Amino acid sequence: MDIPIANLEQGMPTVEQAIIRMDQAIRSTKSKRGKVLKLIHGYGSTGKGGAIRHGVQSALAAHQRAGRIKAFVPGEEFSPFSLEARAAVEACPELLRDRDYTRSNHGITIVVL
């Protein structure tokens, strides 16, 4: 099984547009009974973290509090040293083969549905 990927930064959307794309990707993945979703949001051209990254992770935190998602793992924590990442891998062992596992990629986030 391939991990579904949603590229939220494609076409240089606004933060609001990226969050709409994210919500659509979450709904679509859930409807297909997917367990995880990989979001590509980029890290921003300043190197300090982009607005899309911050907006997406803030929206994911709200989704988690509301029970719409189980968890999310920022790319920089996507390694065996993170409790959240280990739980994500337990839910979907295919994540062990993801190219960003252990790479500390600030431009992605893994969502556990």
Side-chain angles (χ1 to χ4, degrees):
M1 173 185 129
D2 288 334
I3 305 297
I5 298 172
N7 187 341
L8 306 180
E9 68 176 350
Q10 186 175 7
M12 298 179 61
T14 64
V15 173
E16 293 78 19
Q17 291 168 328
I19 290 171
I20 289 168
R21 284 184 190 171
M22 176 194 73
D23 288 341
Q24 291 169 337
I26 288 171
R27 281 193 302 275
S28 175
T29 304
K30 278 184 162 188
S31 74
K32 296 173 186 167
R33 301 195 187 279
K35 296 179 182 177
V36 297
L37 171 66
K38 181 177 181 177
L39 302 175
I40 300 173
H41 46 63
Y43 185 56
S45 59
T46 64
K48 297 178 183 173
I52 290 175
R53 177 180 183 268
H54 291 294
V56 161
Q57 290 181 349
S58 177
L60 288 170
H63 285 340
Q64 186 176 5
R65 285 190 301 273
R68 291 188 287 272
I69 65 170
K70 291 180 183 171
F72 68 96
V73 184
E76 62 271 19
E77 297 176 21
F78 188 41
S79 80
F81 303 107
S82 161
L83 181 62
E84 292 83 7
R86 288 195 307 269
V89 167
E90 187 174 313
C92 182
E94 292 88 356
L95 286 171
L96 286 172
R97 294 189 301 273
D98 187 273
R99 66 185 293 264
D100 287 308
Y101 191 59
T102 74
R103 292 184 69 196
S104 189
N105 182 348
H106 291 257
I108 64 126
T109 297
I110 302 297
V111 182
V112 182
L113 304 171

